[in-house]
Amino acid sequence: MLTLIRQELYKQLHGKFYIGWGIVILAITLFSGYSYQRINTDGVNSVSRIFYNGNSMAMIAMIIFASSILTVDFSQNTVKYLFARQFSRGKILISKLITIAVMYVYLTIVNFVTTEISNVIFNKNGAWNFTDVFTKIEATSFYLFLLLSMVLLISNIFKSNAVAIAIGIVFVYVSQTINSIISLFTENHSWIKFNPLNFLNVNSEVMYGESMFKQVTNLSLIQIEVGAIIWGIIFLLITYVVYNRRNV
């Protein structure tokens, strides 16, 4: 297992993903800092806003990263090397999940650093609201656990990272709209609220509170967090079944 994890991290170090997206997040946070010093922020903590924007870009990066981590081995035929060394497909999948988690932690740290750089340059080293920041990290973590498990499954079924990227990004921007429509049917069919798309609202409900979003999701904060984890695990198990049956 450690050998597989080292191999995955080695591939990422040479793939330059971490450098490219680090630069993108730096650019976004710097632009955000420059913009917020010139406009009225309506009493909202500017540092938090800068961090939120960097975090949004990190989410896009994670969708792109997760969508290709399984398909790239098949497209480059490196999967034959892995199977030749008699690694089980389960261990290969777990090593890739660990790599995804490591990359998420890395991008979060990059966002902290670049936000502080932007804060010092443009915001006169303003005070951090760590309650807001860590709530955002909590919300994003639940959200990405569910969304990326869906992205992994989609990329594995369609054998295309492009399809997974497109669907993942669409979910980021229109999931709330979709669920606003779905919520109209929950009055007569309460079971509809347990569909996985509804649990993608976990990001908003954690961030803005149960009182505001329960009317959309019809789920309490605990229910939507636990549900996001359960659905994420279900999608990962299905991903394993599909991955285990794929032909080389």
Side-chain angles (χ1 to χ4, degrees):
M1 177 64 73
L2 291 177
T3 300
L4 286 168
I5 295 172
R6 285 196 297 267
Q7 288 178 348
E8 285 296 328
L9 294 176
Y10 178 83
K11 286 192 294 185
Q12 303 314 319
L13 287 173
H14 285 74
K16 303 299 187 296
F17 173 91
Y18 70 102
I19 295 177
W21 281 102
I23 293 172
V24 171
I25 293 174
L26 173 62
I28 290 296
T29 52
L30 288 176
F31 178 76
S32 299
Y34 173 75
S35 300
Y36 292 145
Q37 73 166 349
R38 299 171 61 87
I39 62 175
N40 181 10
T41 58
D42 300 322
V44 177
N45 185 282
S46 295
V47 187
S48 296
R49 282 192 170 189
I50 296 169
F51 185 87
Y52 294 170
N53 291 342
N55 187 75
S56 297
M57 193 54 58
M59 288 171 56
I60 300 298
M62 289 306 303
I63 291 171
I64 295 172
F65 180 73
S67 67
S68 62
I69 197 168
L70 291 179
T71 58
V72 69
D73 285 336
F74 289 90
S75 63
Q76 297 179 358
N77 287 323
T78 55
V79 72
K80 294 181 179 179
Y81 164 76
L82 292 174
F83 293 163
R85 296 188 62 182
Q86 297 182 339
F87 292 119
S88 71
R89 297 197 184 194
K91 289 183 178 180
I92 295 171
L93 181 60
I94 291 173
S95 71
K96 292 180 182 296
L97 295 177
I98 292 173
T99 303
I100 290 172
V102 169
M103 196 58 62
Y104 172 58
V105 172
Y106 164 74
L107 291 179
T108 301
I109 293 172
V110 168
N111 194 22
F112 267 107
V113 173
T114 57
T115 296
E116 180 59 21
I117 292 172
S118 180
N119 181 37
V120 171
I121 296 174
F122 298 111
N123 200 38
K124 299 179 181 179
N125 199 24
W128 284 72
N129 186 334
F130 285 107
T131 300
D132 284 352
V133 168
F134 286 115
T135 299
K136 182 61 176 175
I137 293 174
E138 176 191 358
T140 302
S141 299
F142 278 106
Y143 179 74
L144 283 180
F145 180 76
L146 175 55
L147 180 61
L148 295 187
S149 66
M150 296 169 68
V151 167
L152 285 168
L153 177 58
I154 292 167
S155 67
N156 211 17
I157 291 176
F158 289 95
K159 302 179 182 180
S160 170
N161 59 327
V163 173
I165 291 171
I167 293 176
I169 292 177
V170 165
F171 279 154
V172 169
Y173 291 106
V174 305
S175 59
Q176 290 184 18
T177 302
I178 293 172
N179 282 296
S180 294
I181 297 173
I182 292 175
S183 66
L184 298 176
F185 298 94
T186 58
E187 292 184 5
N188 297 321
H189 306 283
S190 60
W191 58 269
I192 292 178
K193 67 183 179 183
F194 296 110
N195 79 85
L197 294 183
N198 193 29
F199 289 94
L200 287 173
N201 282 314
V202 65
N203 189 23
S204 298
E205 189 155 333
V206 172
M207 272 298 299
Y208 302 111
E210 179 180 322
S211 59
M212 180 178 297
F213 265 83
K214 189 175 181 179
Q215 59 185 342
V216 175
T217 64
N218 290 294
L219 296 167
S220 68
L221 183 59
I222 295 297
Q223 285 177 322
I224 201 167
E225 288 178 340
V226 173
I229 293 173
I230 292 174
W231 271 114
I233 292 172
I234 290 172
F235 284 125
L236 289 177
L237 290 175
I238 299 173
T239 299
Y240 168 71
V241 172
V242 175
Y243 184 71
N244 199 41
R245 295 183 178 182
R246 282 189 66 173
N247 295 322
V248 178

